[in-house]
């Protein structure tokens, strides 16, 4: 498959989706942040100095997904019809896992929106907890699943 964000001369371009039909699209992405025990307990117990970390990070993740087109140059403006952020706390590993699900009815998919949502949410956790410990590590950001459009369904193999 060829790269679609380059024209026949190799110039960068936004893909023209004018002729594509609107279909229901969904995507799910995840990532995690590894934190110190002190950060983990502050998040879990809701006692970080900046407030309720996961509530603020949830709002940031949704806002990030909605603004993907402003951050990634070749992304289309996608009118999201739904976006959720879910958290899983893993105490033994001192990890906080984030899952973002994005939905729309449109001409292009929402994979980038789900990935951006996870990224913004995890960066917000870092921002809100960096006064406690700056050694946090964000990683494993990946597309888990997507559906809709010409390429159909994709699910990451475990």
């Amino acid at each position: 498959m060829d790269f679609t964000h380059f024209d026949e001369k190799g110039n960068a371009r936004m893909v023209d989706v004018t002729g594509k039909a609107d279909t229901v699209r969904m995507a799910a992405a995840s990532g995690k942040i590894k934190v110190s025990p002190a950060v983990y307990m502050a998040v879990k117990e809701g006692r970080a100095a900046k407030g309720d970390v996961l509530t603020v990070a949830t709002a940031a993740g949704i806002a990030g997904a909605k603004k993907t087109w402003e951050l990634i140059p070749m992304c289309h403006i996608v009118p999201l019809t739904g976006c959720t952020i879910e958290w899983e706390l893993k105490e033994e590993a001192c990890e906080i896992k984030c899952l973002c699900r994005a939905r729309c009815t449109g001409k292009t998919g929402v994979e980038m929106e789900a990935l951006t949502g996870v990224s913004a949410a995890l960066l917000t956790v870092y921002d809100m907890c960096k006064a406690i410990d700056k050694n946090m590590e964000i990683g494993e950001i990946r597309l888990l699943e997507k559906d809709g459009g010409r390429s159909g369904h994709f699910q990451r193999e475990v």
Side-chain angles (χ1 to χ4, degrees):
M1 173 172 241
D2 293 326
F3 289 112
T4 57
H5 286 85
F6 296 99
D7 66 16
E8 61 281 345
K9 296 179 184 174
N11 298 310
R13 69 179 177 113
M14 182 181 205
V15 175
D16 186 350
V17 296
T18 305
K20 293 175 78 176
D22 284 348
T23 59
V24 174
R25 317 284 185 126
M26 70 73 68
S30 69
K32 69 180 182 179
I33 185 166
K34 184 157 180 55
V35 301
S36 68
V39 168
Y40 183 88
M41 293 311 293
V43 171
K44 182 180 177 182
E45 295 170 1
R47 56 178 174 78
K50 290 186 176 182
D52 182 344
V53 173
L54 297 184
T55 296
V56 174
T58 296
I62 292 168
K66 290 167 61 175
K67 292 185 171 276
T68 299
W69 65 275
E70 293 179 358
L71 301 169
I72 311 298
M74 301 303 169
C75 282
H76 295 85
I77 298 173
V78 176
L80 293 180
T81 57
C83 185
T84 60
I85 301 286
E86 299 171 29
W87 300 98
E88 180 182 352
L89 279 68
K90 298 184 170 193
E91 188 166 357
E92 57 286 342
C94 282
E95 292 177 348
I96 302 168
K97 186 175 178 184
C98 179
L99 172 69
C100 178
R101 295 180 194 278
R103 294 181 59 85
C104 81
T105 299
K107 298 175 183 294
T108 189
V110 290
E111 299 96 274
M112 294 306 299
E113 286 71 16
L115 289 161
T116 302
V118 164
S119 300
L122 292 172
L123 285 167
T124 301
V125 172
Y126 186 97
D127 177 57
M128 293 187 71
C129 297
K130 68 183 184 264
I132 302 169
D133 183 15
K134 292 174 181 52
N135 286 313
M136 294 172 280
E137 184 177 324
I138 296 171
E140 297 186 28
I141 297 172
R142 62 186 80 191
L143 181 67
L144 300 177
E145 183 179 13
K146 65 134 318 245
D147 198 21
R150 184 175 54 206
S151 65
H153 186 254
F154 163 83
Q155 184 144 16
R156 176 174 291 279
E157 294 179 15
V158 178

